[in-house]
Each structure stands twice: as structure tokens, then as C-alpha cells.
Amino acid sequence: MIHPQTFGYFCREAMINFKRAGAMTYASIGVITVTLFIMGIFLLLIVNLRLAQDVLIKKASIIVYLKDGLPTETIQSIQTNIGRQVNQASQIIYVSKQDALEGFKKELGQQEDILSGVQGNPLPAYFEIKLTPSKRFSWERLKKIAVAIEGMEGIEGVDYGQKAVEVIGTITDVVRMFIIGIGFILGLATLIIISNTIELALFARQDEIEIMKLVGATPWFIRCPYLLEGMIHGLISGILSIGLLWLIYHFGLLKTLAANPIFLFLPQMEFISWQMMSILIVSSGFLGCLGSLLSLHYFLKSNRE
Amino acid sequence: MIQMRHITKVYEKGIQALNDINVEIGRGEMVFITGPSGAGKTTFLKLIYAETKPTSGLLFVGGKNVSSLASRDVPYLRRRIGVVYQDFKLLYQKTVFENIAFALRVISLPSAEIYKRTIKVLNIVELTHKKDAFPHQLSGGEQQRVAIARAIVNDPVLILADEPTGNLDAGMAANIMNFFMETNHQGTTVIVATHNKEKALKMGTHVIHVDSGQIVG
């Protein structure tokens, strides 16, 4: 347990280092902030891609097209079989060939004439399944249901918005891979920048550290102020980068989207969650500590041969 | 206090600093290590405060085997030893008071205790009136007294001084030597390394003369 007086000493020393490094401190915080900001943009992207995918899945309905000329009993048995695949809350609506045509005509409105050249009724009868998905409903589950229904007898085809969801899914996967890669590189960059800044602080106080060792300060006592300094670097950068991201999100992105009607089809957007923000800040603080520890490791290496 | 048994120290690239040293220094002794530059005096002291390890041989300080001391135990050994250098090794951006208190602060003593002890040693080295001055505002002799105050503030059982008067004129050197003698009279073991053999002999105490890494008398 650290004595409050000792902790006060560590904080004071860390602040002294912080001030002494001056321009170097600001430069390092600036660069790390930009680094974390870039990371934040990708996180924002992935959050919203996931959100879009979620919205699509939650709204999902399955359209089951039937082959022409099926006897009523077959249609009924298909409905029963579909009912077994989905949960009880889901609605299964039968739309006959005739109803489908009527519906289509209604949609066309005044342009109904287009159909005048068409012989008979080209539209198939279909079931519309309105799913009431539970919270944990996933894309995989939807796909499984659709595939099971498609395998039934008398089914022409199944449509469940697979294209849109699959495209978003692929993008999400690519972005996720990218985040892992770029996160590694940016993390390493942060580590090196902090480690260099701390090393300069260590060089500036070389004499002091030597005397500390000689009068019997433990290595941890010597390290603590520098670890704290590295951590403060990381934390400040983390907070600044999130602030910057929030500003750009609210006053840049959302304003632009609202002003352009082409983006109206986009679902609701979301900022990164509190948890994600905390993780970003805490991990940058941790990186700061680690960077410090690295330079301390080389600096304090005992020269006792 | 100190026992050296067949101590040999060879630095990197085969530079031999000490060769088969056997020394016994008793508690409360005042000892001078003399010899020309490069004779091994500094290495002799460095071995004692565990700044360097012997290549071979056994070294005991206050009953502790320092030759095989773990790194984590080194700080605790040093808290019982006060070291004084030729170049003082003071922190120039700290005041006299802070320089001395520093040695207590880094071993996490309570503030009140730090104040009490620092004032006490300032008194001993007669620098109370200069406690708020910065080292560059002091004479060489005064700076060395600050360094001595820092070395004794922790009540060490052993004081090591490496050419403590090397940078001082004769008057100040005598003054500093008197401080060491007085500290020794209080019961502290004092080891002073100096190249000035005559002066050491005049002090009439235990003198160990080293040359080329060996004891020659």
C-alpha cells in the first residue's frame, strides 16, 4: 500500500517531468491523439455497420414464392411446416396469385396500363413471414430458417434480403480485419512515441536518478513518477481523441448527412458506446505505462557487472 | 564491519582493477585507502556499496554477503551506507535543504521526520543559515558539507568517501576531514579513498595502500 505522502510525491514529480519536457510533451500528445483518432474513426465505422446490419435483420421478413398450380392441401401443409420453423409470435400471411396481382396493380396506380399487354397472371402466390426476432436473433439464424424453407416441396424460391445483409457483413469483416492490423501498428507507434518522450525525461534527470539509487531508493520508487507520466500522456491523448471524434461526428458527419437527401435511406447513426470509449482511454493509458516501462527498463538496467 | 576474502575484480575487456584483496575493517574504524590514480581505490568502494560485483572472492558488509547480494536487496544495503564524492553529486535545481531531505524522501520517511532529521544534520555541518540557498551559490567546501550532510542524514553505520577533498583548497580540505573524524568519533565506520598518502599517514589511523589492484602496505 502506497502512503498518501509518497503518492503525492510521485504525482508532483510526474508533473515536473511533464512541464520540463514542454514542447516535446505537446508534440507527443498531439501525435498520439491523432493516432487514436484514426483508430476511433474505424471503430465508429464498425459500430455503424453493425447497427445497419442489425436494423436490416430486425426488420427482416421472408418471402416464400410458391410454384404455380399447387393444390390447397399442399399450400396448407407448407404453411404448417413454415410455422414449425419460426417462433409463435411470427406472422405468416398467405398471398394468392390473384391477391399478388391486385397488390401489384395498386402499387403501380395510374401506370396500371403497363400490365395491359401481359397475358394471364405472371405473379406467383407467396407466403410473407413477418418475423418478430428476439434480441439475440442473428443473421445466421435467419439464413438457417430460409434455407430450411427453401428445401420444402412446392417452393419456387425464397427472398430474405440476403444480398444487402451479406454485403454489409463482408464490409464489416474487412473493416474488422483492418482495425486489428491498423490497431497493432498505431498501438506500436503510440508505444514508441511515449517511450521516446519518457526517455528524454529520464536523460534530463539522469543525475537525480543516480543519486536516488545511491541513497537507497528502490527501483519501483524511481520508476513510479515516470510510469505515472506515461499514463497521463496516454490518458490525455485518449480523452482528446474521443473529444475530437465526437466533434467531427456531431458537427461534421451528422450535419453533412442531414443536409444531403441521398443519405436519407441510411438507418439511424450511433456514436461509439461508453464501454468502447472507456476501453480506448484505458488502453491508451496502459500503452503509456508500457512505453514508460520500456524506456525505464533500458535506462535503469543495473550496471552492476 | 567489512571482510574481503580473495577479492578480484576484472572489468570488461580484461581490465584488472583489483587482484586478490584480503582486508578486514572493524566497526567504528577510520580507514584511508591510498594509492595513485587507477590503483583500484574507487572500485574498492564501489564493491562495498554494491555498485559493482566482484569477479571472484567473498565480501561481507555488516555481516551480509554482498558478493552475492540480489539486486532487489541493494537499495536496503545502501540505506545503511553514506557515500560522498569528489564532485559532490548535488542536484543543482534543488536547495540545500531539499538536497539533504531528498535522501530521506526517496526512502518514504514521513515529512515531519524528514524535517527534523534534515535540520539536525544542517546543524552538524553548520549550514543552517544556507538551507534555502542553491548549490551554485555555495563555495566548494560548503557544497561538500551538503554532500556529507546528505550522506549522514540517514544515520548510516558506514561512510564511504571517494577523494572527498580532491576539489578543495587545503583549508577547506582540513575542515572536511575534521567532519569525517567527528562522525567517526560518534561511532560510524568511515572509509576515505585518497591519492594523498602522506596526509593519510599523518592522521594516524588505519591506512591501506593499493597499487595496480593490489595491497602494498
Side-chain angles (χ1 to χ4, degrees), chain A residues 18 20-30 193 196-198 200-201 233:
Chain A
F18 215 78
R20 268 197 207 155
M24 189 61 205
T25 300
Y26 299 124
S28 114
I29 288 181
I193 295 164
N196 272 325
T197 314
I198 300 296
L200 285 178
H233 262 90

Side-chain angles (χ1 to χ4, degrees), chain A residues 163-205:
Chain A
K163 279 270 148 52
V165 176
E166 255 164 21
V167 165
I168 292 179
T170 312
I171 296 174
T172 312
D173 284 348
V174 170
V175 172
R176 196 174 290 145
M177 293 297 285
F178 203 68
I179 282 189
I180 294 169
I182 211 164
F184 181 74
I185 294 166
L186 295 183
L188 205 65
T190 305
L191 203 67
I192 291 168
I193 295 164
I194 292 182
S195 163
N196 272 325
T197 314
I198 300 296
E199 203 163 321
L200 285 178
L202 287 169
F203 272 116
R205 305 186 78 172

Side-chain angles (χ1 to χ4, degrees), chain B residues 13-174:
Chain B
K13 292 175 189 161
I15 300 162
Q16 187 152 35
L18 292 173
N19 185 17
D20 196 28
I21 299 284
N22 290 288
V23 165
E24 186 104 17
I25 295 171
R27 199 172 285 273
E29 263 197 85
M30 172 105 188
V31 181
F32 284 90
I33 314 286
T34 63
S37 298
K41 303 188 296 286
T42 300
T43 301
F44 187 95
L45 297 183
K46 277 185 173 174
L47 284 168
I48 297 171
Y49 65 88
E51 179 71 15
T52 187
K53 261 185 182 169
T55 311
S56 65
L58 281 176
L59 166 62
F60 291 89
V61 176
K64 259 213 154 69
N65 186 351
V66 173
S67 35
S68 64
L69 195 67
S71 291
R72 64 169 183 281
D73 293 327
V74 170
Y76 303 98
L77 169 80
R78 290 185 182 170
R79 289 177 191 188
R80 296 161 58 212
I81 303 174
V83 190
V84 179
Y85 300 87
Q86 181 175 5
D87 59 356
F88 321 135
K89 289 204 196 296
L90 298 177
L91 295 166
Y92 287 85
Q93 69 279 13
K94 288 189 193 294
T95 64
V96 167
F97 182 92
E98 286 165 349
N99 261 286
I100 299 166
F102 186 69
L104 299 176
R105 203 167 305 277
V106 301
I107 57 170
S108 298
L109 239 59
S111 290
E113 183 68 21
I114 292 175
Y115 184 82
K116 212 175 80 189
R117 285 211 209 173
T118 307
I119 291 295
K120 189 180 138 200
V121 292
L122 272 168
N123 240 323
I124 295 172
V125 298
E126 294 163 17
L127 280 174
T128 313
H129 59 295
K130 296 249 166 124
K131 73 179 172 56
D132 297 320
F134 287 90
H136 62 84
Q137 297 167 320
L138 306 178
S139 71
E142 285 170 330
Q143 289 189 39
Q144 193 57 301
R145 268 146 62 194
V146 177
I148 291 170
R150 185 184 61 200
I152 63 175
V153 74
N154 204 15
D155 282 334
V157 291
L158 173 66
I159 287 183
L160 305 175
D162 193 1
E163 300 275 5
T165 58
N167 280 345
L168 307 177
D169 62 48
M172 278 181 180

Side-chain angles (χ1 to χ4, degrees), chain A residues 138-173:
Chain A
S138 67
W139 168 238
E140 281 68 33
R141 180 89 189 93
L142 178 69
K143 206 169 170 178
K144 216 170 159 189
I145 295 171
V147 169
I149 294 172
E150 204 168 15
M152 292 174 190
E153 208 184 318
I155 307 295
E156 179 73 45
V158 175
D159 184 359
Y160 52 101
Q162 52 268 62
K163 279 270 148 52
V165 176
E166 255 164 21
V167 165
I168 292 179
T170 312
I171 296 174
T172 312
D173 284 348

Side-chain angles (χ1 to χ4, degrees), chain A residues 89-103:
Chain A
S90 304
Q91 261 183 300
I92 305 168
I93 303 156
Y94 175 67
V95 180
S96 69
K97 271 179 85 76
Q98 195 52 42
D99 292 342
L101 188 62
E102 292 299 323

